Amino acid sequence: MPRITEIDIEKAPQEVKKAVEEHIAKGHRITSEKRTLLHNVPAFLALEESSYMLDAELQRLIGKRAADFYEYAISVQNECFVCTAYFTNLLKKNGIDFNTFDFTEQERLLIEYGQAIAKDPKGVSDELFARMKNEFTEEELVVITTMGVLMIANNNLNDILQVSPEEIID
């Protein structure tokens, strides 16, 4: 059971309705997590809008498929039911079974890095980071790592507030 009620957008203050309209106009959906965050527009913008902006940059740098695998690996490692369900459905839509898929070497490295930062951010080995540096530029590493941190923040928010992984509302 969620610890925070989801905001009723129809009864919400104008500021919330405006944030929702702008988010939908960008092609995004309103999920349970977002309806929870919308109790405060700056909180919503800080986590959701920045995540979308950075995810677009990550996809530009490493590709959508690799970005999705990376973010999914973080969610699975964190055992975040909401985000894991989201990415499982996304991968299924693309005909991908994460457990049997033949990843590229770069995708395997990203998955390993995502799992490592989710498991113990202070414990990311020098060896793993050296392999990341051999594969990615410093700019890419900053974007990859920052997106990982935002993914962990999303996971933590969902788990702490016990956000329901219910249907997506357009």
Side-chain angles (χ1 to χ4, degrees):
M1 172 135 221
R3 291 180 166 168
I4 304 289
T5 59
E6 295 176 14
I7 198 155
D8 182 341
I9 295 169
E10 291 180 17
K11 297 177 183 175
Q14 191 56 40
E15 177 188 28
V16 171
K17 290 178 181 178
K18 181 179 180 209
V20 168
E21 288 171 11
E22 290 173 0
H23 195 67
I24 290 172
K26 293 176 185 173
H28 306 306
R29 296 173 171 231
I30 301 299
T31 62
S32 296
E33 176 186 328
K34 294 172 188 178
R35 286 191 305 277
T36 301
L37 279 166
L38 281 162
H39 279 281
N40 182 274
V41 172
F44 170 78
L45 295 174
L47 192 55
E48 289 301 320
E49 290 295 324
S50 63
S51 289
Y52 279 101
M53 181 178 66
L54 195 58
D55 188 53
E57 185 66 5
L58 181 65
Q59 289 180 33
R60 181 185 73 78
L61 293 171
I62 69 172
K64 179 171 177 21
R65 189 174 96 165
D68 288 345
F69 291 154
Y70 174 66
E71 293 167 22
Y72 178 73
I74 291 168
S75 296
V76 169
Q77 182 65 47
N78 274 339
E79 299 177 355
C80 176
F81 185 69
V82 172
C83 292
T84 299
Y86 169 81
F87 281 105
T88 298
N89 289 334
L90 181 67
L91 295 175
K92 275 184 189 176
K93 284 181 186 176
N94 292 309
I96 296 170
D97 177 356
F98 195 80
N99 296 316
T100 60
F101 192 75
D102 187 23
F103 301 102
T104 67
E105 286 300 316
Q106 184 184 70
E107 291 165 346
R108 280 191 203 101
L109 180 59
L110 284 163
I111 291 165
E112 183 181 351
Y113 185 65
Q115 291 169 333
I117 67 170
K119 183 177 182 180
D120 180 10
K122 293 180 182 179
V124 175
S125 72
D126 291 339
E127 181 273 329
L128 174 56
F129 201 79
R131 287 189 288 134
M132 290 291 291
K133 275 190 96 165
N134 284 336
E135 184 69 29
F136 301 102
T137 67
E138 289 187 341
E139 177 191 12
E140 290 167 335
L141 285 168
V142 167
V143 172
I144 291 165
T145 303
T146 305
M147 188 64 226
V149 169
L150 285 175
M151 212 46 239
I152 292 166
N154 272 297
N155 294 168
N156 288 343
L157 178 93
N158 286 318
D159 289 341
I160 293 165
L161 299 182
Q162 298 177 358
V163 173
S164 173
E166 66 180 69
E167 76 212 272
I168 296 173
I169 298 174
D170 287 318

